Amino acid sequence: MLFRRVAGPDGGEIRARIHQTPGPRWFGPDRPIRTVHGDASMFIGGVSALLLQSLHPLAMAAVDAHSGFRGDPWGRLQRTSAFLAVTTYGTASDAQAAVDRVRGIHEGVRGRTREGDPYHAADPRLLDWVHTAETECFLRAHERYGARRLDPAGYDGYAADAATVAEALGAADPPRDRRALADRLEHYRPELRSTPEARAVARFLLLEPPVPLVARPLYGALAANAVNLLPDWARALLRLPRLPLVEDLTVRPAGHLLTRTIRWAMAPTRPSP
């Protein structure tokens, strides 16, 4: 059920096509991006990335006006996961085709914020912000919850791999190692703020998730760990309180248990638990 939610009803066929189609790839089997994007920690990193990305008012205005994520959150997740999968593991031609489709969509996403500031989803600087926030959160999540964690050189390699995809999408000079990633985040901080749209996204992701009631406790653990990954300044902007003792004793252990469970559930052939 989890796999169908994330990958869609045709997820099995899509996965087989991505991995089994012969041809050159953008990333070889030893590249760090394959290790990070193939791990269950991506579930936590993904929610954390959405929260962080929402703090840029131009990016948030574009998402709020054009993405339809509230009406079809699972469809958006399935499209995003398919894009990550094909650019990470698919053939070079399929990866380029996926990038071209996204660039075509971005070209038509234009508008103005409620303050009247113009935005364009194809703006290289805006693409760089989305990429930087996403890469930082995926990296943080894997470093904390990944099954096979990387050394510092490996995480630098992940940033370089992710930058390849970001550059293909049109991002401006994406950071290619962890130090550059931290510097780029700091560079964007003066532009970030808590808008009503950003706070609405936080409420949607954390308090009104589109999951059945029976799955709410599991999702609650995922959401709590996504918040725990955020930098303190981002939590403050989103008005998300910090409870160090509670988070250290309950939230992080729950995150490790959750990612182990997801890792088992999503395996193509599951061993006995």
Side-chain angles (χ1 to χ4, degrees), residues 104-144:
I105 293 169
H106 284 169
E107 196 57 45
V109 176
R110 301 170 182 265
R112 290 183 178 271
T113 67
R114 63 172 64 204
E115 291 81 14
D117 298 320
Y119 63 79
H120 183 200
D123 177 359
R125 182 173 171 77
L126 206 54
L127 288 167
D128 178 62
W129 159 251
V130 171
H131 162 75
T132 298
E134 177 182 273
T135 303
E136 174 70 11
C137 290
F138 288 170
L139 193 156
R140 283 184 178 223
H142 190 272
E143 188 174 44
R144 184 176 296 177

Side-chain angles (χ1 to χ4, degrees), residues 144-228:
R144 184 176 296 177
Y145 302 109
R148 187 162 62 89
R149 297 172 200 176
L150 304 175
D151 59 15
Y155 285 120
D156 281 346
Y158 170 66
D161 289 347
T164 298
V165 181
E167 204 164 46
L169 284 168
D173 187 28
R176 297 185 178 276
D177 59 42
R178 194 159 193 186
R179 179 180 291 275
L181 200 58
D183 290 344
R184 190 65 56 85
L185 268 180
E186 193 65 24
H187 173 75
Y188 277 109
R189 279 189 62 182
E191 301 176 33
L192 308 181
R193 64 179 187 269
S194 178
T195 61
E197 292 83 2
R199 295 192 295 274
V201 164
R203 285 195 301 273
F204 179 76
L205 290 173
L206 304 178
L207 302 178
E208 305 162 3
V211 297
L213 286 176
V214 68
R216 289 290 177 92
L218 294 174
Y219 184 87
L222 186 153
N225 278 277
V227 170
N228 186 256

Side-chain angles (χ1 to χ4, degrees), residues 26 83 86-87 91-104:
W26 280 1
F83 177 82
V86 74
T87 52
T91 63
S93 59
D94 285 347
Q96 186 61 55
V99 164
D100 292 343
R101 283 193 298 273
V102 172
R103 293 192 69 152

